[in-house]
Amino acid sequence: QKEVEQNSGPLSVPEGAIASLNCTYSDRGSQSFFWYRQYSGKSPELIMSIYSNGDKEDGRFTAQLNKASQYVSLLIRDSQPSDSATYLCAARVGRDDKIIFGKGTRLHILP
Amino acid sequence: GAVVSQHPSWVICKSGTSVKIECRSLDFQATTMFWYRQFPKQSLMLMATSNEGSKATYEQGVEKDKFLINHASLTLSTLTVTSAHPEDSSFYICSARVVMGLANEQFFGPGTRLTVL
């Protein structure tokens, strides 16, 4: 069964520090990976997508992909209280473009 | 990112009634849309894949006769929960696939919270 695994947290990080979120996936054939942010009671919002090994930076966010280790991470620099949310890691699996989600990591930025 | 809308944003209904939820892509055409369900403190679970002009593909364990999906146009997919029961109360979220060059991403609607009494 194809799965995406995340630590549920909560992960508490002081304001201004770097928050590091991690994810592993089971399907070696997956080529596309995503990080979504979900506030309580709201739907997920796409933050980053990454398709190649290495780092991808967008503002305060950096996604990292290591296909050999089947590992995806998200770094949030200069963490702000507004970054407090649940972060969902997702992977596209199979040929029909389905995206499966991890259970999410709750991030709490401490003011 | 691309904008996806859902209507209604919340609905309360009596047990045994049917509820229709609409999902629209506002500024793009979506040949493929997806329907998810999320129970409290759980992750998103894919229910079905909706393709314009063809039958939806349902995930294992999802009753196609209970959750009717219609994707009649490139900007609209609907999910009808038939004969709803309290256990169907959940947060239903649609997403639309956007393909731009090498990027192939999904953008989510705001969700519909269904409460069945």
Side-chain angles (χ1 to χ4, degrees), chain A residues 40-67:
Chain A
S40 181
K42 302 294 185 181
S43 70
E45 172 191 9
L46 180 65
I47 298 176
M48 296 279 284
S49 57
I50 186 166
Y51 307 100
S52 305
N53 272 329
D55 295 359
K56 178 182 178 182
E57 186 174 321
D58 184 359
R60 294 187 297 114
F61 299 98
T62 298
Q64 299 173 317
L65 173 60
N66 184 324
K67 292 184 180 179

Side-chain angles (χ1 to χ4, degrees), chain A residues 19-78:
Chain A
S20 177
L21 303 161
N22 305 312
C23 165
T24 59
Y25 60 94
S26 63
D27 183 8
R28 280 201 171 274
S30 293
Q31 299 293 321
S32 306
F33 305 90
F34 310 89
W35 282 100
Y36 287 83
R37 176 175 63 197
Q38 186 175 26
Y39 293 111
S40 181
K42 302 294 185 181
S43 70
E45 172 191 9
L46 180 65
I47 298 176
M48 296 279 284
S49 57
I50 186 166
Y51 307 100
S52 305
N53 272 329
D55 295 359
K56 178 182 178 182
E57 186 174 321
D58 184 359
R60 294 187 297 114
F61 299 98
T62 298
Q64 299 173 317
L65 173 60
N66 184 324
K67 292 184 180 179
S69 301
Q70 296 177 236
Y71 176 88
V72 192
S73 66
L74 178 70
L75 300 178
I76 306 175
R77 289 181 297 282
D78 188 22

Side-chain angles (χ1 to χ4, degrees), chain B residues 12-24:
Chain B
I12 301 173
C13 69
K14 292 182 179 180
S15 186
T17 60
S18 295
V19 175
K20 179 186 282 189
I21 303 170
E22 293 185 348
C23 177
R24 293 182 184 273

